mmCIF file with all atom_site columns, all heavy atoms in Angstrom:
data_model
loop_
_atom_site.group_PDB
_atom_site.id
_atom_site.type_symbol
_atom_site.label_atom_id
_atom_site.label_alt_id
_atom_site.label_comp_id
_atom_site.label_asym_id
_atom_site.label_entity_id
_atom_site.label_seq_id
_atom_site.pdbx_PDB_ins_code
_atom_site.Cartn_x
_atom_site.Cartn_y
_atom_site.Cartn_z
_atom_site.occupancy
_atom_site.B_iso_or_equiv
_atom_site.pdbx_formal_charge
_atom_site.auth_seq_id
_atom_site.auth_comp_id
_atom_site.auth_asym_id
_atom_site.auth_atom_id
_atom_site.pdbx_PDB_model_num
ATOM 1  N N   . MET A 1 226 ? -3.824  -7.152  -1.654 1.00 0.00 ? 226 MET A N   1
ATOM 2  C CA  . MET A 1 226 ? -5.299  -7.383  -1.243 1.00 0.00 ? 226 MET A CA  1
ATOM 3  C C   . MET A 1 226 ? -6.111  -6.110  -1.246 1.00 0.00 ? 226 MET A C   1
ATOM 4  O O   . MET A 1 226 ? -7.257  -6.170  -1.785 1.00 0.00 ? 226 MET A O   1
ATOM 5  C CB  . MET A 1 226 ? -5.329  -8.085  0.150  1.00 0.00 ? 226 MET A CB  1
ATOM 6  C CG  . MET A 1 226 ? -5.135  -9.640  0.088  1.00 0.00 ? 226 MET A CG  1
ATOM 7  S SD  . MET A 1 226 ? -3.424  -10.010 -0.543 1.00 0.00 ? 226 MET A SD  1
ATOM 8  C CE  . MET A 1 226 ? -2.392  -9.678  1.025  1.00 0.00 ? 226 MET A CE  1
ATOM 9  N N   . GLU A 1 227 ? -5.628  -5.108  -0.810 1.00 0.00 ? 227 GLU A N   1
ATOM 10 C CA  . GLU A 1 227 ? -6.230  -3.789  -0.800 1.00 0.00 ? 227 GLU A CA  1
ATOM 11 C C   . GLU A 1 227 ? -6.573  -3.351  -2.327 1.00 0.00 ? 227 GLU A C   1
ATOM 12 O O   . GLU A 1 227 ? -7.583  -2.948  -2.669 1.00 0.00 ? 227 GLU A O   1
ATOM 13 C CB  . GLU A 1 227 ? -5.523  -2.700  -0.112 1.00 0.00 ? 227 GLU A CB  1
ATOM 14 C CG  . GLU A 1 227 ? -6.146  -1.393  -0.085 1.00 0.00 ? 227 GLU A CG  1
ATOM 15 C CD  . GLU A 1 227 ? -5.469  -0.385  0.762  1.00 0.00 ? 227 GLU A CD  1
ATOM 16 O OE1 . GLU A 1 227 ? -4.569  -0.793  1.445  1.00 0.00 ? 227 GLU A OE1 1
ATOM 17 O OE2 . GLU A 1 227 ? -5.651  0.868   0.569  1.00 0.00 ? 227 GLU A OE2 1
ATOM 18 N N   . CYS A 1 228 ? -5.534  -3.574  -3.204 1.00 0.00 ? 228 CYS A N   1
ATOM 19 C CA  . CYS A 1 228 ? -5.765  -3.286  -4.544 1.00 0.00 ? 228 CYS A CA  1
ATOM 20 C C   . CYS A 1 228 ? -6.895  -4.180  -5.190 1.00 0.00 ? 228 CYS A C   1
ATOM 21 O O   . CYS A 1 228 ? -7.698  -3.691  -5.968 1.00 0.00 ? 228 CYS A O   1
ATOM 22 C CB  . CYS A 1 228 ? -4.438  -3.570  -5.410 1.00 0.00 ? 228 CYS A CB  1
ATOM 23 S SG  . CYS A 1 228 ? -3.126  -2.459  -4.939 1.00 0.00 ? 228 CYS A SG  1
ATOM 24 N N   . LEU A 1 229 ? -6.851  -5.404  -4.868 1.00 0.00 ? 229 LEU A N   1
ATOM 25 C CA  . LEU A 1 229 ? -7.834  -6.407  -5.479 1.00 0.00 ? 229 LEU A CA  1
ATOM 26 C C   . LEU A 1 229 ? -9.220  -5.845  -5.053 1.00 0.00 ? 229 LEU A C   1
ATOM 27 O O   . LEU A 1 229 ? -10.084 -5.768  -6.073 1.00 0.00 ? 229 LEU A O   1
ATOM 28 C CB  . LEU A 1 229 ? -7.645  -7.663  -5.016 1.00 0.00 ? 229 LEU A CB  1
ATOM 29 C CG  . LEU A 1 229 ? -6.419  -8.502  -5.600 1.00 0.00 ? 229 LEU A CG  1
ATOM 30 C CD1 . LEU A 1 229 ? -6.161  -9.838  -4.878 1.00 0.00 ? 229 LEU A CD1 1
ATOM 31 C CD2 . LEU A 1 229 ? -6.464  -8.543  -7.032 1.00 0.00 ? 229 LEU A CD2 1
ATOM 32 N N   . ILE A 1 230 ? -9.478  -5.558  -3.835 1.00 0.00 ? 230 ILE A N   1
ATOM 33 C CA  . ILE A 1 230 ? -10.759 -5.159  -3.457 1.00 0.00 ? 230 ILE A CA  1
ATOM 34 C C   . ILE A 1 230 ? -11.152 -3.817  -4.021 1.00 0.00 ? 230 ILE A C   1
ATOM 35 O O   . ILE A 1 230 ? -12.432 -3.509  -4.324 1.00 0.00 ? 230 ILE A O   1
ATOM 36 C CB  . ILE A 1 230 ? -10.923 -5.107  -1.857 1.00 0.00 ? 230 ILE A CB  1
ATOM 37 C CG1 . ILE A 1 230 ? -10.634 -6.407  -1.239 1.00 0.00 ? 230 ILE A CG1 1
ATOM 38 C CG2 . ILE A 1 230 ? -12.286 -4.396  -1.366 1.00 0.00 ? 230 ILE A CG2 1
ATOM 39 C CD1 . ILE A 1 230 ? -11.725 -7.526  -1.600 1.00 0.00 ? 230 ILE A CD1 1
#
Side-chain angles (χ1 to χ4, degrees):
M226 278 62 77
E227 183 174 341
C228 292
L229 291 175
I230 295 298

